[in-house]
Amino acid sequence: MAYYVLIIMLVLEHVKPYHPILHHKQRWFVNFLLFFFSTGFIWLGKVFVTAYIAPLWQLNYTLALLIAQFVMLDVYHYAVHRLFHHYKILWATHVVHHSDIEVDVTTEYRHHPFEVVLNFTLFAIFSWAFAIQTELIALYATCAVSLSIWHHSNFLLPRVLDQVLANVIITPRLHHLHHVSQRRLTDSNYGMIFSIWDRLFNTFSDEQMPTQHDYGLNYFNKPDQINILFVLKQPVKYLRQHNKHRNRLSKKIDSV
Ligand SMILES: [Zn+2]
Ligand SMILES: [Zn+2]
């Protein structure tokens, strides 16, 4: 477009000049040479940026985006775990995981099917809403499941090493504290990979494992309750017990 305008104007100014041009030969040579240099520099710049800078920027941008999404998935897991402890209806499903009276690698797999399906659905909605790439979900899931198996293992790290790692990630000690029957400890250390979210939102318990402690819950803690039918019914049983307790409490309050 600009070149068409240039040609039209060259013709017009030649046909009907506004003022006389005395040095057009020298000026044209200088002016077109400058244009040639400028265009050359810009072209070289474009080639350099396309070849060397753009791929670097693209790489950094992609890497930054992937790191941000990885961190986001970890915050999401912290938040959802906390919600499952906070809301009775959600806790009723999570109760199965916490009712294990001993903790080892198999505890990682102890979740009620309701909880698994609910968690999966929420996670699918979250990933879709934030357009998280499938490869990243696979990477995060691999890290999270591997760490979670380790967190539940009946093998605690030497104290010093555990203390150093706990500054960054959730260690077996931190997650074992989450399975101790004292409510104060059960409702802490919700993190999946990084321990920063618990520190940031005041749910971090950093103490050593109590010498005298019970794993599990103060209810559903009888060894004869370790059977699949009982465990599958635990959410309903929990809600019934909770409602009975609430009704008894409200009757007491009414009679005062
Ligand atoms: Zn929990
Ligand atoms: Zn656990």
Side-chain angles (χ1 to χ4, degrees), residues 80-124:
V80 167
H81 191 179
R82 200 167 164 179
L83 288 178
F84 269 81
H85 276 245
H86 186 75
Y87 291 104
K88 288 285 166 274
I89 190 77
L90 298 177
W91 173 248
T93 65
H94 192 48
V95 107
V96 170
H97 182 63
H98 278 273
S99 65
D100 208 354
I101 55 174
E102 288 159 351
V103 172
D104 62 15
V105 281
T106 64
T107 310
E108 154 67 3
Y109 302 102
R110 186 188 163 102
H111 290 275
H112 196 282
F114 280 167
E115 187 193 2
V116 176
V117 171
L118 191 58
N119 244 322
F120 183 83
T121 311
L122 289 173
F123 185 64

Side-chain angles (χ1 to χ4, degrees), residues 25 38 47 52 61 81 122 128 132 137 150 152-153 156 161 197 210 214 218 244 246 251 254:
K25 274 189 189 159
S38 308
V47 169
Y52 298 104
Y61 175 75
H81 191 179
L122 289 173
W128 172 77
I132 313 256
I137 293 172
W150 177 56
H152 290 98
S153 68
L156 298 192
L161 180 60
W197 318 123
D214 286 322
N218 295 327
K244 256 191 227 166
R246 210 175 46 184
K251 269 180 198 161
D254 288 346

Side-chain angles (χ1 to χ4, degrees), residues 103-105 149-158 161-162 171-173 176 215:
V103 172
D104 62 15
V105 281
I149 292 169
W150 177 56
H151 294 157
H152 290 98
S153 68
N154 189 22
F155 171 79
L156 298 192
L157 293 171
L161 180 60
D162 185 290
T171 63
R173 173 180 59 92
H176 274 241
Y215 285 118

Side-chain angles (χ1 to χ4, degrees), residues 29-175:
F29 179 74
V30 170
N31 293 356
F32 277 122
L33 204 58
L34 283 175
F35 174 70
F36 176 76
F37 286 154
S38 308
T39 312
F41 283 132
I42 287 173
W43 180 79
L44 278 177
K46 271 187 187 169
V47 169
F48 180 75
V49 167
T50 312
Y52 298 104
I53 306 294
L56 271 181
W57 192 80
Q58 187 82 23
L59 191 72
N60 286 341
Y61 175 75
T62 311
L63 197 67
L65 191 73
L66 288 179
I67 292 170
Q69 288 191 340
F70 191 91
V71 170
M72 217 160 83
L73 286 178
D74 206 49
V75 184
Y76 165 84
H77 275 94
Y78 167 87
V80 167
H81 191 179
R82 200 167 164 179
L83 288 178
F84 269 81
H85 276 245
H86 186 75
Y87 291 104
K88 288 285 166 274
I89 190 77
L90 298 177
W91 173 248
T93 65
H94 192 48
V95 107
V96 170
H97 182 63
H98 278 273
S99 65
D100 208 354
I101 55 174
E102 288 159 351
V103 172
D104 62 15
V105 281
T106 64
T107 310
E108 154 67 3
Y109 302 102
R110 186 188 163 102
H111 290 275
H112 196 282
F114 280 167
E115 187 193 2
V116 176
V117 171
L118 191 58
N119 244 322
F120 183 83
T121 311
L122 289 173
F123 185 64
I125 294 169
F126 177 82
S127 307
W128 172 77
F130 288 92
I132 313 256
Q133 286 107 318
T134 322
E135 293 83 357
L136 189 81
I137 293 172
L139 175 72
Y140 181 84
T142 307
C143 294
V145 171
S146 308
L147 282 184
S148 198
I149 292 169
W150 177 56
H151 294 157
H152 290 98
S153 68
N154 189 22
F155 171 79
L156 298 192
L157 293 171
R159 190 179 281 203
V160 179
L161 180 60
D162 185 290
Q163 205 69 51
V164 172
L165 289 176
N167 287 317
V168 184
I169 57 171
I170 297 289
T171 63
R173 173 180 59 92
L174 296 179
H175 195 71

